[in-house]
Structure formats: structure tokens, C-alpha cells
Amino acid sequence: MAEPLTLALSKGRILEQTMPLLKPLGIEPLEDPATSRNLVLPTSDPNVRLIIVRATDVPTYVAYGGADLGVAGKDVLLEQGGHGLYEPVDLGIARCRLMVAGRPDADLEGRRIRVATKFVNVTRRHFAAQGRQVDLIKLYGSMELAPLVGLADAIVDLVDTGNTLRANGLAPLEPIADISARLVVNKGSMKLKHRAIKPMLGKIAESVDRNA
Ligand code: ADP
Ligand code: PRP
Ligand code: MG
């Protein structure tokens, strides 16, 4: 009897871009995850089930063993620290960049600035590495609004096409990190379910190479 595995995914781009990587392994959800209200989804592989969680909760589920594996953005892993997890495969999906952004004419030098972001830990580290102390304002979304209404001098957010920044009259100012989604694995599962997980990692890496 093969070992049952639980894989944590988040709705939206992670789910949409992970499915094609799993299909060659014979893992396809038996109901449409985009429309289903079920949070536990059986797949065409009787030993693999998906659970649907918030993107920022994936590392928590996997670290505590609520799932054996998961797919998490590197931004989330950098912000939360990635404790208790292995991060064996860069899936190369959900690519974007973490950036400092602000008004195109923003002068951020020579004074203490206010930075609004949901990535407070990454932001603190980024400016500390430059020897700068900044005042952090924690937000949970719509960061682009903050410089427009004078809440902050700059933001730290994810940028892909730059359309969201442009639409709000903002510009990218400094890159922080290139981001893509990573396969994460519970450390205990990696040992105890090695026989199931090891070949799966290999096959997913092959899917990623074919995708590249
Ligand atoms: P959330 O509801 O948390 O915003 P998303 O599906 O938008 O969920 O984001 C999940 C992950 O996808 C993020 O952690 C990040 O790694 C990546 N991501 C977010 N926005 C973009 C984007 N515009 N382009 C590409 N990847 C993105
Ligand atoms: C993400 C991110 C930015 C935007 C950047 O938002 O938070 O706002 O994408 O992408 P762009 O540079 O291509 O415009 P998302 O689309 O995930 O919406 P959300 O606010 O629901 O997270
Ligand atoms: Mg988003």
C-alpha cells in the first residue's frame, strides 16, 4: 500500500499554474477546485489529496504536518522564515519581483521614511542591509494606495507587469528579490514518507524542466 500524501495549494495563480505540473504525474483533482467549495479535494491518484488554504497559510500547514507538501511563493517564505520546511524544488511559476516602489519623483534619501507593506520582515531586512532604519506600516493589501494618500513615502510589494503600479501613478524604485513558487515539504514527512515523496520530487522537477 502506497503512502497517502496531502498537498496544500492556494486558489488563484498557484493552483492554476501547479495543476499542469502535476498532470504528468497522473495527479488531477476529481472536481474543479476553482468552483468547488470543498477544501479537501481527492485526485485521480488515490494516494494524493489536495487541501485548499490561503497562500500565506501554506507554510504553516506544511510545517505543522497538516500537509506533507505544499506550494508557496518565495515572498511568503522569505517573510515568514520558512522554519520547519524543506524547499527542494523551485517550480518556476508565479514569477514576479519584490520591489520598493513609490511616486516616480520620490526622494527617499537622507531622512527617515515611512514604508507601507505586508512584507514587514523582508522590508526591515532590506533597509537594514543598507544601514537605514525605516518606519514600517503594516498593511494587508492595496499597498499602492498608501503613497497616494500620504500614508507612506514608499511601499514594498510584488510587481509583475508593473500595470498595478502604473495605474496608480507609481514606479518601481529598487528591486529586493526575484520571486517564484517553491515546493515545500514537511521535514518529518520527508523522512517517514520518503518512498512516496522522493520519486514525486523527481517527477515534478522533470515537469518544471519541460515547462522551462
Ligand atoms: P493572495 O491572495 O495571497 O494575493 P495570490 O494568488 O495573488 O494570493 O499570490 C500567491 C503568490 O503568487 C504570491 O505569494 C506570489 O509569490 C505570487 N504572485 C502574487 N502576485 C503575482 C503577480 N502579479 N504575478 C506573478 N506572481 C504573483
Ligand atoms: C498582485 C500584487 C500586485 C500585482 C502586481 O496582486 O499584489 O498588486 O499583483 O502585478 P502587476 O505588476 O502585473 O500589476 P494580485 O493580482 O494578486 O491581486 P490581490 O490584490 O488580490 O492579491
Ligand atoms: Mg495576490
Side-chain angles (χ1 to χ4, degrees):
M1 180 64 189
E3 295 154 324
L5 293 175
T6 301
L7 172 65
L9 295 174
S10 55
K11 276 197 184 180
R13 51 173 65 82
I14 296 273
L15 183 70
E16 282 155 22
Q17 296 179 28
T18 301
M19 287 296 105
L21 297 177
L22 295 178
K23 199 173 171 184
L25 284 72
I27 302 171
E28 288 186 86
L30 294 182
E31 49 193 289
D32 182 359
T35 52
S36 172
R37 304 296 297 173
N38 286 347
L39 298 176
V40 181
L41 301 176
T43 75
S44 46
D45 181 335
N47 291 307
V48 179
R49 62 177 185 170
L50 308 181
I51 61 170
I52 306 299
V53 305
R54 289 287 291 267
T56 45
D57 289 336
V58 167
T60 308
Y61 274 87
V62 176
Y64 288 97
D68 302 293
L69 307 127
V71 177
K74 184 68 184 175
D75 51 322
V76 173
L77 295 166
L78 287 171
E79 178 63 19
Q80 299 184 3
H83 307 293
L85 300 168
Y86 292 121
E87 221 182 282
V89 187
D90 181 347
L91 297 174
I93 57 170
R95 284 180 183 277
C96 53
R97 296 213 289 172
L98 257 173
M99 311 254 334
V100 182
R103 289 170 175 276
D105 57 358
D107 181 12
L108 306 181
E109 302 304 317
R111 67 194 168 90
R112 187 160 169 149
I113 57 163
R114 283 202 297 195
V115 184
T117 185
K118 60 179 175 186
F119 303 101
V120 287
N121 295 320
V122 172
T123 301
R124 191 183 299 108
R125 281 200 300 269
H126 172 74
F127 285 103
Q130 302 176 350
R132 299 190 65 177
Q133 215 178 16
V134 297
D135 292 323
L136 292 166
I137 299 179
K138 165 84 184 188
L139 293 178
Y140 293 86
S142 302
M143 268 86 81
E144 292 85 0
L145 197 54
L148 302 182
V149 296
L151 182 66
D153 302 293
I155 62 172
V156 167
D157 196 7
L158 298 168
V159 181
D160 177 20
T161 60
N163 288 341
T164 309
L165 290 182
R166 264 192 301 279
N168 292 290
L170 302 180
L173 299 177
E174 282 174 35
I176 298 181
D178 288 332
I179 300 299
S180 54
R182 310 300 163 101
L183 188 70
V184 292
V185 184
N186 173 272
K187 288 191 171 174
S189 302
M190 189 74 115
K191 286 199 194 75
L192 296 170
K193 299 186 177 181
H194 191 75
R195 271 188 306 159
I197 290 178
K198 188 76 197 301
M200 193 169 167
L201 296 183
K203 287 184 204 154
I204 291 176
E206 284 170 24
S207 288
V208 172
D209 288 344
R210 274 196 302 274
N211 227 20

